Amino acid sequence: MKIVIVGGFGVGKTTMVRAVSEIRPLDTEAVMTNAGVGVDDLSGIPGKTTTTVAFDFGRITIDAEHVLYLFGAPGQERFWFLWDRLFTGALGAIVLVDPQRISDCWYAIDRLEYQKTPFVVACNDFGPYTTDPEEVRAALDLDSHVPLLECDARSRESSKQILISLVEHLHAAATPEPTV
């Protein structure tokens, strides 16, 4: 079962895959070079020195028959052409959001809605400030049926809970409403 993790540049997608994968993740992290100067917006992410240039891959075995394959998408606009390919065959997606840079994930939500890929939104905890979920929901113009969650992408347990919430969301969407 394929799950894609998307969001803006530097939001924690690689970190989430690393935190939750049962295998050593495959990643395409590269040291940022002068080629990205003026192209990649580093505001709000001081100290970032590496970036994903293709995708990250991790795995979680549920049981003998069910395995989650996790694909972390690159966040920079110049790599967005890869996203539609990563979405192909995905059961669902996690949109990881930095609450201080909400606009960085609008493209991800637009693409998922266009592809008709179900998703949840997870606000990554980046610091001492608090996030008002309703402000985030309004800023993203999220439909009420889209789960909005909080997480710490560095934490295996927190990342696992986001995946569980996504699977529950997918299950609820696939379960027909009872008829009277």
Side-chain angles (χ1 to χ4, degrees):
M1 299 178 287
K2 181 178 179 182
I3 304 293
V4 181
I5 303 169
V6 295
F9 178 47
V11 78
K13 300 173 298 292
T14 298
T15 301
M16 180 176 268
V17 171
R18 285 179 181 162
V20 77
S21 179
E22 70 187 17
I23 63 169
R24 180 172 174 237
L26 164 71
D27 65 48
T28 57
E29 283 285 290
V31 174
M32 296 174 65
T33 66
N34 287 337
V37 174
V39 177
D40 298 328
D41 181 7
L42 294 173
S43 59
I45 44 176
K48 184 160 179 61
T49 59
T50 62
T51 187
T52 300
V53 295
F55 62 86
D56 304 309
F57 173 78
R59 183 183 76 205
I60 302 171
T61 302
I62 307 296
D63 59 34
E65 296 179 28
H66 300 96
V67 178
L68 287 180
Y69 296 105
L70 308 173
F71 289 84
Q76 300 101 303
E77 185 174 348
R78 60 191 160 124
F79 296 120
W80 286 351
F81 69 93
L82 296 169
W83 287 19
D84 287 343
R85 296 281 187 203
L86 285 176
F87 295 161
T88 301
L91 286 178
I94 296 167
V95 178
L96 203 53
V97 177
D98 177 347
Q100 301 300 305
R101 298 180 294 128
I102 289 175
S103 63
D104 289 355
C105 70
W106 286 340
Y107 181 78
I109 291 171
D110 286 344
R111 292 309 307 159
L112 290 166
E113 289 175 342
Y114 176 79
Q115 293 279 345
K116 296 182 176 27
T117 303
F119 63 94
V120 299
V121 175
C123 290
N124 197 4
D125 178 9
F126 276 95
Y129 52 85
T130 58
T131 303
D132 180 352
E134 289 314 307
E135 285 180 21
V136 173
R137 183 174 292 284
L140 294 174
D141 193 26
L142 286 180
D143 289 337
S144 60
H145 73 276
V146 176
L148 177 60
L149 313 157
E150 292 187 29
C151 74
D152 180 343
R154 300 166 295 185
S155 163
R156 179 176 179 79
E157 188 59 34
S158 182
S159 296
K160 186 171 82 172
Q161 287 303 314
I162 298 303
L163 287 165
I164 290 168
S165 295
L166 173 61
V167 171
E168 288 172 344
H169 177 61
L170 294 171
H171 183 264
T175 304
E177 298 271 333
T179 57
V180 178

